[in-house]
């Protein structure tokens, strides 16, 4: 086993470990991440080889990169002693390579003068290669962690060789930034968490990815970035059509050069799904409608008795529902029921090992673990929280198991009969929902 150090981004620290666990699982190996501290951007891990290290981080969104660890210490004296003891056998391997030094500092800083002195203190490495600040063959990194508001000297120092930078370091978040996207709407999901969601769902090249609540296509765009073959549906044709041929869901794939990954989108009520029953979907990734910006609705008559017998109403000599401009009636629907439908659909359509990943809103004052919906064929792997003021949204990740899996089917959200999330949202959660 070899030691490596991962450099994390500071955003959404609670999502880091889950992402790495799923990436390791995707590539078929295990990694001990128990040393992780959400307050620190650095994590030392042990892996079998450099290939595993590169696979672990290459498509990560929550980390910047992974580095071959050469030594560590609480002082520079300890660091240098550790490097000489642990990694002296590596010095000659990079003796003639072009190189540069870089610094990763957390909660502190070094002046340029001190950086030069620090670099000079590594003279015992005896590198003879050219110093190349633009395109070096090797990058050596000094990582320093300070105590916030404490000493002006670092509390811990690591020295490492850059091994693999991540998707994040390649600028993927800036690339998919909503501010730069051709077509967005009020419900478009932010780029960073869309990409993380797809990593947790183990989206892979050539796999069919379905979003039953497509909207403006945020999750489909993110899935296409990882090679998924994407398709979606939405009850609102206006969201899919956008403002025309140059500003709709499909145009986003043209913008990002992923047209070949776009299968199609359909105007469809998910609760009246028309996909063939034998059409297998590898991954389902979505953000079900919360009913915040507008009430949650599905196809159907609000007053079924009043609507009975009107299927064949005639308008200007045509059956009304066959006219091009016909707008089908919609009725209110509860989020709890929608999530129950979603889990059932996933249990029928996903292959063994397929993932269902979606976001669920909860009021902070009445969240209980049993509220999370469960299905006997779906194992809940992760429940990750993005906290707002009075409410949260939780990312739920399920995997479909075979018939030997002894799970349970439950819907605490429905059983508890909490007040409609939309009502409580606009009341600023002033009522307890019980």
């Amino acid at each position: 086993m070899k030691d490596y150090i991962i450099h994390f981004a500071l955003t959404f620290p609670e999502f880091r470990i889950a992402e790495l666990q799923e990436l390791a699982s995707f590539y078929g190996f295990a990694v001990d991440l128990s040393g992780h501290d959400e307050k620190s951007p650095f994590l030392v891990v042990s892996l079998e080889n450099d290939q595993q290290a590169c696979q672990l981080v290459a498509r990560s969104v929550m980390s910047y990169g992974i580095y071959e660890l050469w030594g560590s210490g609480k002082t520079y004296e300890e660091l240098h002693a550790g490097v000489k003891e642990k990694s002296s056998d590596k010095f000659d391997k990079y003796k003639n390579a072009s190189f540069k030094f870089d610094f990763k500092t957390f909660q502190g800083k070094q002046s340029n003068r001190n950086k030069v002195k620090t670099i000079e203190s590594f003279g015992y490495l005896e590198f003879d290669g050219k110093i190349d600040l633009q395109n070096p063959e090797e990058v050596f990194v000094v990582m320093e962690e300070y105590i916030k508001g404490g000493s002006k000297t670092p509390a811990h120092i690591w020295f490492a060789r850059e091994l693999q930078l991540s998707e994040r370091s390649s600028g993927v978040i800036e690339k998919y930034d909503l501010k730069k996207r051709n077509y967005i709407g009020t419900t478009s999901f932010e780029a960073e968490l869309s990409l993380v969601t797809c990593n947790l769902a183990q989206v892979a090249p050539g796999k069919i990815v379905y979003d039953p609540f497509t909207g403006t296509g945020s999750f489909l765009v993110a899935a296409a970035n990882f090679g998924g073959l994407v398709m979606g549906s939405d009850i609102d044709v206006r969201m899919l059509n956008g403002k025309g041929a140059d500003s709709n869901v499909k145009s986003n794939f043209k913008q990002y050069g992923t047209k070949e990954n776009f299968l199609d989108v359909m105007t469809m009520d998910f609760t009246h799904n028309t996909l063939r029953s034998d059409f297998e979907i590898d991954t389902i990734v979505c953000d079900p409608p919360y009913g915040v910006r507008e009430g949650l609705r599905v196809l159907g008559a609000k007053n079924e008795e009043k609507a009975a017998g009107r299927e064949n109403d005639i308008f200007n000599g045509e059956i009304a529902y066959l006219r091009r401009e016909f707008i089908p009636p919609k009725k209110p629907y509860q989020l709890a029921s929608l999530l129950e439908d979603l889990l059932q659909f996933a249990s029928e359509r996903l292959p063994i090992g397929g993932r269902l990943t979606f976001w669920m809103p909860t009021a902070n004052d009445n969240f209980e673990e049993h509220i999370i919906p469960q299905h006997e064929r779906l194992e809940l792997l992760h429940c990750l929280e993005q906290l707002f003021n009075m409410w949260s949204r939780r990312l739920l990740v399920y995997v479909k198991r075979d018939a030997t899996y002894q799970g349970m089917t439950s819907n605490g959200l429905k059983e508890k009969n909490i007040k409609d999330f939309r009502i409580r949202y606009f009341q600023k959660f002033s009522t307890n929902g019980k």
Side-chain angles (χ1 to χ4, degrees), residues 166-176:
S166 68
E167 278 275 294
R168 188 186 192 94
S169 289
S170 72
V172 70
I173 296 175
E174 292 75 14
K175 176 181 178 180
Y176 291 105

Side-chain angles (χ1 to χ4, degrees), residues 6 8 16-18 20-21 31-36 43 45 56:
I6 299 170
F8 288 113
R16 297 171 180 168
I17 298 306
L20 292 184
Q21 286 175 338
V31 56
D32 182 2
L33 303 168
S34 60
H36 175 249
L43 172 64
V45 298
L56 183 65

Side-chain angles (χ1 to χ4, degrees), residues 181-219:
R181 190 169 299 179
N182 181 47
Y183 174 57
I184 62 171
T186 57
T187 59
S188 296
F189 212 91
E190 59 198 274
E192 184 173 7
L193 289 179
S194 295
L195 292 160
V196 171
T197 301
C198 288
N199 266 340
L200 290 166
Q202 294 191 356
V203 171
K207 298 294 185 180
I208 301 294
V209 181
Y210 173 50
D211 181 353
F213 315 104
T214 299
T216 59
S218 295
F219 288 109

Side-chain angles (χ1 to χ4, degrees), residues 284-420:
I284 300 172
V285 183
C286 60
D287 180 31
Y290 306 167
V292 170
R293 292 177 177 83
E294 58 179 291
L296 176 58
R297 295 179 181 275
V298 297
L299 293 181
K302 186 174 182 180
N303 188 331
E304 294 184 2
E305 291 183 5
K306 186 177 179 180
R310 300 192 59 183
E311 294 86 353
N312 295 316
D313 280 3
I314 304 298
F315 183 83
N316 287 346
E318 294 182 69
I319 297 178
Y321 74 86
L322 295 179
R323 293 173 61 87
R324 182 175 181 84
E325 63 271 25
F326 175 76
I327 299 175
K330 298 180 179 67
K331 64 181 180 180
Y333 203 59
Q334 294 298 314
L335 177 62
S337 298
L338 183 66
L339 297 184
E340 192 171 64
D341 292 340
L342 180 59
L343 265 67
Q344 180 61 33
F345 178 86
S347 72
E348 296 171 356
R349 301 303 183 94
L350 292 175
I352 303 302
R355 302 298 173 99
L356 165 65
T357 305
F358 66 89
W359 291 82
M360 182 184 80
T362 57
N364 294 337
D365 60 1
N366 67 4
F367 174 75
E368 300 171 5
E369 288 295 330
H370 85 272
I371 287 177
I372 299 173
Q374 304 279 358
H375 192 282
E376 61 185 2
R377 292 295 301 278
L378 302 173
E379 180 184 357
L380 178 66
L381 299 179
H382 304 285
C383 175
L384 305 170
E385 181 183 20
Q386 183 187 13
L387 181 64
F388 296 103
N389 184 18
M390 302 295 291
W391 68 287
S392 301
R393 60 183 179 188
R394 286 175 163 80
L395 177 59
L396 305 180
V397 182
Y398 301 81
V399 60
K400 182 176 177 179
R401 298 302 189 191
D402 61 26
T404 63
Y405 176 68
Q406 299 297 316
M408 61 177 291
T409 297
S410 66
N411 190 348
L413 189 66
K414 193 172 184 178
E415 294 165 3
K416 192 176 181 184
N417 194 28
I418 66 169
K419 290 187 178 180
D420 181 83

Side-chain angles (χ1 to χ4, degrees), residues 149-289:
S151 172
K152 294 183 179 180
T153 58
H156 208 107
I157 317 163
W158 299 268
F159 182 67
R161 180 180 70 89
E162 182 180 286
L163 185 62
Q164 174 69 57
L165 296 180
S166 68
E167 278 275 294
R168 188 186 192 94
S169 289
S170 72
V172 70
I173 296 175
E174 292 75 14
K175 176 181 178 180
Y176 291 105
D177 188 343
L178 292 180
K179 295 178 182 178
K180 303 174 184 177
R181 190 169 299 179
N182 181 47
Y183 174 57
I184 62 171
T186 57
T187 59
S188 296
F189 212 91
E190 59 198 274
E192 184 173 7
L193 289 179
S194 295
L195 292 160
V196 171
T197 301
C198 288
N199 266 340
L200 290 166
Q202 294 191 356
V203 171
K207 298 294 185 180
I208 301 294
V209 181
Y210 173 50
D211 181 353
F213 315 104
T214 299
T216 59
S218 295
F219 288 109
L220 298 186
V221 166
N225 176 74
F226 295 116
L229 301 177
V230 303
M231 58 181 292
S233 62
D234 200 286
I235 196 172
D236 189 350
V237 67
R238 297 169 300 177
M239 296 293 288
L240 303 179
N241 288 344
K243 303 173 184 178
D246 296 325
S247 184
N248 57 26
V249 171
K250 189 174 182 178
S251 70
N252 284 337
F253 295 87
K254 295 179 181 178
Q255 176 183 352
Y256 296 119
T258 52
K259 288 191 300 181
E260 67 278 6
N261 296 84
F262 178 77
L263 299 180
D264 207 349
V265 289
M266 301 159 282
T267 305
M268 181 173 69
D269 174 10
F270 171 69
T271 64
H272 294 76
N273 203 286
T274 59
L275 292 175
R276 286 199 331 264
S277 60
D278 61 346
F279 181 76
E280 191 171 89
I281 300 164
D282 296 299
T283 309
I284 300 172
V285 183
C286 60
D287 180 31

